[in-house]
């Protein structure tokens, strides 16, 4: 990555209140960078803290959540700025796309009304100008007959088209960063591929940066430049996509890849035994140790830090059982 990253998250920690008065840590010491024009992937099983991370960055955490660390975005720390400054950024310089486009779209209002409201709020401008912008954005995401689409309501579109509209809406105010939380999970595979190609095209055309959150490493391998993998609230591995996905070094990443259809030598789908822990029962030491085939005694005690193993690659596993073996001349 050249120059300062667009988003630079350092030691992000998020805790949520437990009914018994204690705190539950959904995210711990997370470090993440998204460069300008980059698609950075954040992966991990259900409950690993991906959505809480995105909500922390957007300033949309539930009541009672506590957050620490820093998240520098265009030179300002998102985590320490006032609620007012945060709201001014949201939907403008940074926008979010959710798994279910209906979260972003009001079911009863026309697409035109919804798309222009945002734009007019952030750029004091006329309705006619806002409508032109909305039409351009619908055209950009390849909605057929964009002008006609502005008059229709969300239920008149298919799920894939609704997701394209939600993306167009997010793009209206020319954000530099989009956080997309499982944007294709609800869609069938062909539609999913279309949406992923759309992100790739927009990144190229608009120099857009995307933090792409998904539990699906298949989706990641299609578009992400970089991949970070989370387990039980912590990052366990990060690096360039090709490196991480073809030569995983953390046993968890390795397990996730083996569970993909068609992976490995035996037809793939070798699921990792056991289940990810719930937020209330994160095990001591390395949270993955109860499921790890390479678990050593120290893994049950010490929480492994994320360590750089090369310029561009980090893992949180001191055992490093998947490191390439040194060939020694005999
Ligand atoms: N409002 C909340 N109060 C208490 N715990 C919560 C709250 N929201 C999420 N959690 C817990 O925080 C942990 C992380 O949740 P999060 O939604 O970030 O997971 P995720 O990685 O996005 O999972 P998924 O793939 O299912 O979307 C989970 O254990 C979840 O149960
Ligand atoms: Mg989630």
């Amino acid at each position: 990555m050249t120059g300062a990253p667009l988003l630079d998250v350092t030691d992000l920690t998020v805790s949520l209140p437990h009914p018994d008065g204690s705190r539950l840590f959904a995210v711990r010491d997370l470090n993440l960078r998204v460069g300008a024009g980059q698609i950075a992937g954040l992966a991990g099983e259900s409950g690993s803290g991906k959505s809480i991370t995105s909500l922390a960055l957007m300033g949309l955490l539930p009541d009672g959540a506590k957050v620490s660390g820093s998240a520098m975005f265009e030179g300002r720390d998102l985590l320490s700025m006032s609620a007012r400054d945060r709201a001014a950024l949201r939907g403008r310089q940074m926008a979010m796309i959710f798994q279910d486009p209906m979260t972003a779209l009001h079911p009863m209002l026309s697409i035109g009304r919804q798309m222009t409201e945002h734009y007019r709020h952030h750029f004091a401008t006329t309705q006619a100008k806002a409508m032109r912008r909305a039409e351009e954005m619908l055209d950009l995401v390849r909605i057929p007959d964009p002008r006609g689409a502005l008059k229709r309501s969300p239920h008149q579109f298919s799920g894939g088209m609704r997701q394209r509209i939600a993306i167009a809406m997010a793009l209206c105010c020319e954000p530099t960063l989009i956080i997309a939380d499982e944007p294709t999970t609800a869609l069938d595979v062909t539609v999913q591929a279309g949406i992923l190609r759309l992100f790739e095209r927009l990144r190229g055309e608009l120099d857009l940066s995307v933090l792409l959150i998904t539990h699906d490493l298949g989706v990641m391998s299609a578009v992400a430049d970089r991949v970070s993998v989370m387990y039980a609230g912590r990052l366990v591995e990060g690096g360039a996509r090709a490196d991480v996905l073809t030569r995983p070094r953390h046993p968890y990443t390795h397990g996730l890849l083996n569970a993909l259809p068609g992976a490995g030598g035996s037809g793939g789908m070798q699921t990792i035994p056991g289940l990810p822990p719930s937020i209330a029962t994160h095990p001591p030491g390395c949270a993955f140790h109860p499921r790890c085939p390479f678990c050593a005694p120290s893994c049950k005690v010490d929480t492994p830090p994320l360590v750089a193993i090369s310029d561009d690659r980090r893992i949180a596993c001191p055992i490093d059982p998947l490191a390439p073996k040194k060939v020694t001349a005999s």
Side-chain angles (χ1 to χ4, degrees), residues 46-47 49-52 99 181-182 213:
S46 185
K50 306 180 298 295
S51 292
I52 294 286
Q99 172 172 346
D181 189 0
E182 306 274 4
I213 296 178

